[in-house]
Amino acid sequence: MSSSVESISRSVGLDQPSKACERVLVAEDDPMLRRILRSWLESWGYQVMVAEDGAMAWELLQAEPAPQLLILDWMMPRVDGVELCGMIRDRGQSPYQYIVLVTAKDDKQDLVRGLEAGADDYLSKPFDRNELRARLRSGRRILTLQDEQTKIREELHFQATHDALTGIWNRKDILDMMRREFEIASRSDCSIGVIMLDVDHFKRVNDTHGHLAGDAVLKEVAHRLQQVLRSYDLAGRYGGEEFLIVLPDCDAERIQSCAERIRSAIGDELILAEGSRLCVTASIGTAILDPRSGTKRTVLAEADAALYKAKNGGRNRVVAAENGPQLEAR
């Protein structure tokens, strides 16, 4: 295992037992056996849900969070265990649900049919208490491993798409997101707001207070701008101390208002960085992308040119592309 995966394993808690598969659903039409199974399972520490037939079990499986360990009787009214297995697998539920099929059938063809329908294991009636417990433990180990692998995949995906320092989108993916929003806007006849932001005098922060302080400033800037944005707005680190913000369904008035809120959020309060309280400001350039007349390349160039004007105009201000309104610090 590589060191990066080992690090992820620790961060997602692979050395801790998973609680994702503590809930068990028992679908059994025999009331006596239902009571026995509930008693056994609860004595082993499981949280138990019971259903008297497959249709009721299917309804219970719609709840969140759904149980991941399922004990299904083969012969049940309305919906039998094999049919229910097929319904569960056709749905493709995530996380995975481990199915133990309980049956009085002992013909090999019947067992093959049950496994092909989606069961992971089976028990023949009458079954031994300890055997059931052992098979559930086996199922739980499989679910726990799968849960851990899912967390690793999610963490690896996050690392691949997000900036390691600030936790927002990285350059590649914020540009991909902008491309996606451009395609959506093209179909819906909407415009997109694009904001380029540069932290003022950032080199001075690094030179005076050190790179750890610079890192703290960038993380706090990313945090503050995210606090201002709408839930569906997109922010990414474009490079160094530059950030790119994409505002779906946005016009010239709204982008200027949003950019000013970002500027104020960054500059109005000091940033605590490595024991120092720093006054940090940002220069911002804005542009509007109309898919009918512009391109992704041109709007980035326009926003970058507006940012350049903001920096040359004294910094700590918002400048719009194409001679739009300029907002200065008050």
Side-chain angles (χ1 to χ4, degrees):
M1 183 181 289
S2 69
S3 59
S4 62
V5 174
E6 287 175 349
S7 174
I8 295 169
S9 298
R10 288 192 293 271
S11 71
V12 300
L14 264 62
D15 55 340
Q16 301 296 323
S18 172
K19 293 186 177 180
C21 47
E22 290 182 347
R23 293 179 297 277
V24 181
L25 171 64
V26 175
E28 170 60 62
D29 62 339
D30 184 330
M32 178 63 72
L33 186 52
R34 277 203 309 272
R35 286 194 295 271
I36 292 172
L37 287 172
R38 178 193 281 274
S39 175
W40 288 355
L41 292 165
E42 289 179 344
S43 72
W44 298 334
Y46 291 104
Q47 302 170 27
V48 184
M49 303 169 66
V50 295
E52 63 187 31
D53 58 47
M56 181 182 293
W58 179 249
E59 291 177 8
L60 292 174
L61 288 171
Q62 311 312 308
E64 292 291 342
Q68 284 185 259
L69 277 171
L70 313 180
I71 302 174
L72 309 181
D73 186 25
W74 184 311
M75 302 298 293
M76 293 185 291
R78 296 204 288 174
V79 176
D80 66 29
V82 171
E83 185 180 355
L84 183 56
C85 282
M87 293 165 64
I88 293 167
R89 297 307 183 218
D90 288 344
R91 181 173 62 170
Q93 176 76 18
S94 181
Y96 187 78
Q97 291 167 313
Y98 190 90
I99 301 173
V100 178
L101 194 61
V102 178
T103 176
K105 296 174 180 285
D106 57 6
D107 184 84
K108 284 189 177 181
Q109 289 305 313
D110 289 324
L111 299 180
V112 169
R113 181 184 164 209
L115 293 172
E116 288 182 341
D120 298 284
D121 201 353
Y122 67 89
L123 274 173
S124 297
K125 294 180 180 179
F127 50 82
D128 179 76
R129 183 178 190 268
N130 291 328
E131 183 182 5
L132 173 63
R133 188 176 191 183
R135 290 178 185 263
L136 290 177
R137 282 175 174 169
S138 177
R140 185 168 179 173
R141 283 195 299 270
I142 291 171
L143 289 174
T144 298
L145 178 61
Q146 186 174 63
D147 183 54
E148 291 164 352
Q149 290 175 334
T150 298
K151 289 177 181 177
I152 290 176
R153 285 196 300 270
E154 290 172 351
E155 183 65 22
L156 286 172
H157 180 262
F158 184 88
Q159 290 185 4
T161 57
H162 289 71
D163 176 61
L165 177 65
T166 61
I168 60 178
W169 296 107
N170 61 29
R171 178 188 176 100
K172 174 185 176 297
D173 281 271
I174 188 63
L175 290 173
D176 285 345
M177 294 292 173
M178 185 176 129
R179 212 168 285 120
R180 183 198 68 185
E181 291 301 329
F182 178 84
E183 292 170 357
I184 294 173
S186 299
R187 294 193 296 268
S188 57
D189 197 28
C190 296
S191 56
I192 303 168
V194 175
I195 295 174
M196 294 287 287
L197 180 153
D198 185 86
V199 179
D200 294 331
H201 303 297
F202 183 71
K203 185 176 184 299
R204 186 185 303 169
V205 174
N206 279 335
D207 292 345
T208 304
H209 301 280
H211 286 84
L212 290 178
D215 288 349
V217 166
L218 292 177
K219 285 192 282 188
E220 181 61 20
V221 167
H223 172 72
R224 291 186 183 186
L225 70 87
Q226 285 184 295
Q227 294 296 107
V228 172
L229 298 177
R230 301 168 297 184
S231 61
Y232 51 88
D233 293 331
L234 304 162
R237 188 175 176 193
Y238 196 62
E241 65 271 26
E242 285 192 339
F243 296 82
L244 172 63
I245 300 105
V246 179
L247 310 177
D249 192 16
C250 185
D251 57 24
E253 181 179 349
R254 277 183 281 183
I255 194 174
Q256 292 303 103
S257 175
C258 178
E260 176 59 20
R261 289 198 305 272
I262 292 172
R263 189 201 64 79
S264 297
I266 293 170
D268 286 356
E269 293 186 18
L270 299 177
I271 291 179
L272 180 62
E274 293 297 301
S276 300
R277 299 181 68 83
L278 307 180
C279 178
V280 176
T281 61
S283 299
I284 298 174
T286 69
I288 291 293
L289 172 57
D290 185 340
R292 295 169 299 183
S293 57
T295 67
K296 300 179 290 294
R297 184 183 293 273
T298 57
V299 76
L300 284 172
E302 290 169 359
D304 195 49
L307 171 61
Y308 185 79
K309 290 180 183 178
K311 293 167 72 174
N312 282 350
R315 292 185 167 84
N316 192 25
R317 66 191 61 214
V318 176
V319 172
E322 300 181 349
N323 300 317
Q326 178 173 329
L327 299 174
E328 301 184 7
R330 296 177 177 83

